[in-house]
Amino acid sequence: MDTTSYCDLLERQLTAWKSKIREVIRLADRLTASEWEAVRPSTRSLYAIVAEIDSQLAVLKTACPADWSPQRRVVEDKMHELQETLKKLSDRVHGPLIPDSLSWVS
């Protein structure tokens, strides 16, 4: 896969993840006040992950680096953080907050 194809693929994946994260945030916003209070730290983490995705998307829109290795590590770390945050969120509301599994994160 050439660099441009890889960057296009990565941009599509990041955009899809961002959309799914925003959906989880919208679902969290519909929780009762006490439930929402319990998940507030997790939703803050989700907002931070969305901001990082936006940052990576900005890089992809302006230039497709020939070596994506440094950014790839950042993206992988954020995906791990996302998995942990979504798990904590689901645990705090005593069930999955999203209808499907977390497989889309990995």
Side-chain angles (χ1 to χ4, degrees):
M1 176 181 301
D2 67 11
T3 304
T4 304
S5 296
Y6 177 74
C7 288
D8 289 343
L9 174 66
L10 187 56
E11 182 178 2
R12 285 192 306 274
Q13 287 178 333
L14 288 172
T15 301
W17 290 335
K18 184 173 129 178
S19 175
K20 290 179 182 196
I21 294 167
R22 288 189 185 275
E23 180 60 27
V24 171
I25 292 169
R26 280 192 290 276
L27 289 170
D29 286 342
R30 292 188 220 146
L31 297 172
T32 65
S34 62
E35 288 174 326
W36 190 86
E37 196 60 38
V39 301
R40 185 172 13 157
S42 296
T43 56
R44 273 188 267 173
S45 293
L46 292 176
Y47 279 114
I49 293 168
V50 168
E52 183 61 38
I53 289 173
D54 284 338
S55 172
Q56 296 300 321
L57 286 171
V59 169
L60 286 171
K61 287 181 195 240
T62 58
C64 183
D67 180 17
W68 187 256
S69 301
Q71 290 88 349
R72 182 178 179 178
R73 179 70 179 156
V74 169
V75 170
E76 288 172 355
D77 289 347
K78 286 297 173 184
M79 289 304 101
H80 178 71
E81 182 183 338
L82 176 58
Q83 286 175 321
E84 292 299 313
T85 299
L86 290 175
K87 183 176 179 340
K88 286 178 189 174
L89 233 161
S90 292
D91 290 346
R92 287 185 179 137
V93 296
H94 309 293
L97 190 61
I98 53 176
D100 59 355
S101 72
L102 299 180
S103 63
W104 59 269
V105 179
S106 56

